[in-house]
Amino acid sequence: MKIHTEGPRHSVATGTGLSPPRVGAADAGLLLLRLTVGLIMAGHGAQKLFGMFGGAGLDATGKGFAALGYEPGVFFAGLTGVSELLGGLGLALGLLTPLASAAVFGVMINAMAVGADHGLWAETGGIEFPMTLAVVALTVAAVGPGSLALDRFFPWRDGGWGPALFALLAGGIGAIIVLML
């Protein structure tokens, strides 16, 4: 019986078929990272869209967006909320990871644009938190979601330059479009 491994996160093929994916520390670490960042992002989206978790809801968030120059405010609050909710859930589940990473990255670029005048640190309204989330999203696209993800059956399961570039370009172009409107 010959054992063949294609990589650290692939199934092991044997003479009797495929066994379950091997789970290493990297896979567990990626799951922890994806769940933490993904669920935080999804929670932010639920705050904006539905007023959950102490959030203001869509109308009040829309007024805040309008005050920041995002007109019409309710539209941009909704777009942000949907991007955070679906992008966050995608990251948490490891589902359509390059697209989920692009959604999170694009929203965080806009958040950094809003906080850019306040410097780096959160105490002054700076960009440290959105910058960290943007880097995590791109990193997950580059590394792949790991074997404990719904994407484990898809070609982008191991990340790479293609998924990372897709997340960077799609999220970046989306952010630029929003900033130009």
Side-chain angles (χ1 to χ4, degrees):
M1 182 178 298
K2 181 179 175 185
I3 295 178
H4 172 72
T5 60
E6 295 177 358
R9 289 184 273 161
H10 291 280
S11 296
V12 178
T14 65
T16 60
L18 290 176
S19 64
R22 294 186 327 187
V23 177
D27 296 302
L30 279 167
L31 176 63
L32 181 62
L33 182 70
R34 287 190 354 259
L35 285 173
T36 302
V37 172
L39 293 177
I40 285 172
M41 289 304 304
H44 275 275
Q47 287 179 315
K48 289 174 181 66
L49 294 172
F50 312 118
M52 296 174 69
F53 311 117
L58 192 55
D59 289 333
T61 302
K63 289 177 184 171
F65 271 61
L68 292 170
Y70 289 89
E71 288 284 355
V74 171
F75 169 77
F76 285 107
L79 179 63
T80 300
V82 167
S83 297
E84 289 177 343
L85 180 67
L86 296 180
L89 290 175
L91 279 180
L93 296 171
L95 179 62
L96 303 175
T97 302
L99 186 59
S101 295
V104 171
F105 181 71
V107 169
M108 292 301 102
I109 293 296
N110 275 275
M112 285 187 280
V114 169
D117 292 342
H118 302 283
L120 177 63
W121 305 112
E123 289 84 19
T124 60
I127 64 169
E128 70 173 306
F129 185 62
M131 181 176 63
T132 300
L133 295 177
V135 170
V136 167
L138 287 179
T139 300
V140 172
V143 173
S147 66
L148 298 173
L150 296 177
D151 276 348
R152 70 181 175 272
F153 302 109
F154 295 105
W156 54 84
R157 70 181 170 251
D158 293 324
W161 288 110
L165 190 58
F166 174 84
L168 178 69
L169 291 178
I173 290 169
I176 289 168
I177 290 170
V178 168
L179 288 169
M180 291 176 60
L181 294 177

